[in-house]
Amino acid sequence: MNPTTRRWLTIALVLLAVAAAVGLGWRGYANRQATQQAQLAPVKDPVIELGAIDVTTAQVRELTSGLPITGALKAVHSAIVKARVPGELQGLTVREGDTVQAGQVIARVESTEYADRVRQAQQQADAAKAQVDIAQRQYDNNAALVNQGFISKTALDNSAASLATARANYRAAQAGTEVLRKSLADTVLKAPISGQISQRLAQPGERVSPEARIVEIVDLSRLELEAALSPADSVAVRVGQQALLNIEGVAQPVPATVARINPSAQAGSRSVLVYLSVTAQPGLRQGLFAQGQLATETQRALAVPLNAVRTDKPLPYVQVVDNGRIAHRTVQMGARGQVDGEQWVAVQGVTEGAQVLRGAAGVLREGTQVKLIVPAAPASAARNGVRP
């Protein structure tokens, strides 16, 4: 290869190397520019989805405020069957939980001795009746003799006195017989009311004394709550006021109505007893603990659920959905009350119909974009053209 050709070949190689270097530099610059543009591009805000349980509506509601009440359930009708005469208890077969009817024989006290006493008294009464008959005949005879002038008037008076004494003895013997008959009848123990056995306090074969407790019967068809209120709180209570009670073991609140108010304060505590009639519910038992709120005042106001009001700022506020984004609205709280078993509060600072986030939704930053998820309508509603 001559020198000229070698020189041009070298120049060509140099030019190719320069071109390659420039291409690589330009490609790196383009990549850096693309990366910077991607970094400077605005980031799309995330969209928070809210369900129906997260959002409620600020609306005018009737707020029911009142007094907290607590107490235990009691049966309106209950009875304790006691022995009226001493003796051996027989025939007691009912146990706790058994159902009995009014007038049903529950047990007996051994009655042989009482039956013998009744027969003895009856025989004494019969003897007294015979004496009355004798005295009556003697009086009739003496009356005839007096009329004929054979005996004096004094003898007739003595016969009348004897007859009166015989009659009095007979009446006394009859009364004694009735007393013993009553004792014999008292050997049979019957249920005074219909209900269920809550306690069995004696055992068959046990010798019982008068006033000994045998069984306790409760009628669960009517229950009431006995609540003690302070004198100041009792002033606002009226017969007929309503209450919602949370009773242990019962899932849903149970309605109750004030039935009676004790006219006297309790000695010592000075509390006033209020009796609320409880609506019958399956599973309610005497002695269950209940607590709730007695409605003493009702007012209409624009309100939201109490848990929707946030207090993590200097002033209370609620989170509302405004044009698909979250906005915080400062509110002034007013009266509180129960609405369908939930605590609501009257507020100022939001408009009626505003969509307010409940407390379960948590705290969202102002401006956060949200989307409301409307639950699907039931199949039957969709077929009928009903919108959710």
Side-chain angles (χ1 to χ4, degrees):
M1 180 180 297
N2 57 35
T4 302
T5 303
R6 186 181 297 111
R7 187 168 51 251
W8 284 107
L9 182 60
T10 301
I11 293 172
L13 291 174
V14 171
L15 292 176
L16 288 174
V18 171
V22 171
L24 291 174
W26 175 256
R27 185 180 303 170
Y29 175 77
N31 290 337
R32 287 194 300 272
Q33 290 294 325
T35 301
Q36 292 178 357
Q37 291 178 0
Q39 292 176 349
L40 295 177
V43 179
K44 188 176 181 180
D45 292 339
V47 179
I48 305 298
E49 294 183 346
L50 300 176
I53 61 174
D54 299 320
V55 181
T56 186
T57 302
Q59 53 188 301
V60 176
R61 304 298 295 264
E62 287 191 355
L63 301 180
T64 302
S65 57
L67 302 172
I69 54 175
T70 59
L73 297 184
K74 295 176 58 178
V76 176
H77 299 297
S78 63
I80 295 179
V81 179
K82 299 180 179 180
R84 296 186 177 92
V85 294
E88 180 183 333
L89 188 63
Q90 298 175 343
L92 179 60
T93 59
V94 294
R95 290 188 170 274
E96 290 82 355
D98 289 344
T99 300
V100 295
Q101 302 297 324
Q104 177 180 335
V105 176
I106 295 177
R108 299 177 185 272
V109 174
E110 206 282 323
S111 60
T112 302
E113 181 181 352
Y114 298 98
D116 292 340
R117 290 180 181 179
V118 169
R119 285 194 296 270
Q120 181 183 15
Q122 184 61 55
Q123 291 171 0
Q124 291 174 349
D126 293 342
K129 180 63 171 62
Q131 293 297 323
V132 170
D133 295 339
I134 294 173
Q136 183 66 53
R137 288 195 297 270
Q138 185 177 2
Y139 175 79
D140 294 339
N141 292 335
N142 289 340
L145 294 175
V146 167
N147 293 333
Q148 297 175 7
F150 291 110
I151 61 174
S152 64
K153 183 68 168 57
T154 303
L156 181 60
D157 293 339
N158 291 336
S159 298
S162 298
L163 177 59
T165 301
R167 287 175 175 173
N169 291 335
Y170 174 58
R171 288 193 295 267
Q174 284 183 314
T177 303
E178 294 303 320
V179 170
L180 292 175
R181 288 187 189 279
K182 177 63 168 57
S183 297
L184 178 61
D186 287 342
T187 61
V188 180
L189 305 180
K190 298 181 180 180
I193 63 173
S194 298
Q196 291 179 292
I197 303 296
S198 64
Q199 293 187 80
R200 192 170 91 161
L201 306 168
Q203 300 299 327
E206 179 180 346
R207 185 168 181 82
V208 295
S209 59
E211 299 302 317
R213 295 152 55 98
I214 308 300
V215 294
E216 181 182 9
I217 304 173
V218 296
D219 180 8
L220 297 180
S221 62
R222 292 184 59 192
L223 294 173
E224 66 181 11
L225 173 69
E226 181 182 273
L229 300 179
S230 66
D233 291 339
S234 65
V235 175
V237 181
R238 300 287 184 273
V239 173
Q241 289 176 339
Q242 303 295 315
L244 280 178
L245 303 178
N246 295 315
I247 303 176
E248 54 182 344
V250 181
Q252 299 297 327
V254 178
T257 305
V258 176
R260 308 187 311 279
I261 302 174
N262 198 314
S264 302
Q266 300 299 298
S269 64
R270 315 306 301 169
S271 60
V272 178
L273 295 181
V274 178
Y275 304 90
L276 290 84
S277 176
V278 179
T279 303
Q281 296 278 349
L284 294 186
R285 297 289 185 269
Q286 179 173 256
L288 291 180
F289 179 77
Q291 59 182 352
Q293 185 167 359
L294 176 62
T296 57
E297 183 180 358
T298 301
Q299 59 176 318
R300 292 182 61 83
L302 180 63
V304 297
L306 181 60
N307 59 24
V309 180
R310 316 293 306 188
T311 57
D312 53 292
K313 289 184 177 182
L315 295 177
Y317 68 95
V318 296
Q319 303 177 107
V320 300
V321 180
D322 187 6
N323 294 325
R325 294 186 178 271
I326 295 296
H328 293 178
R329 299 281 189 266
T330 302
V331 295
Q332 296 179 354
M333 294 189 294
R336 303 182 183 186
Q338 293 285 330
V339 177
D340 298 331
E342 184 181 14
Q343 188 80 357
W344 283 54
V345 58
V347 293
Q348 296 181 1
V350 295
T351 59
E352 183 177 0
Q355 294 178 316
V356 180
L357 268 65
R358 292 181 175 270
V363 181
L364 299 180
R365 179 174 53 85
E366 282 194 277
T368 301
Q369 188 174 359
V370 295
K371 178 182 178 181
L372 300 181
I373 302 176
V374 179
S380 59
R383 287 195 299 269
N384 296 330
V386 179
R387 297 177 60 86

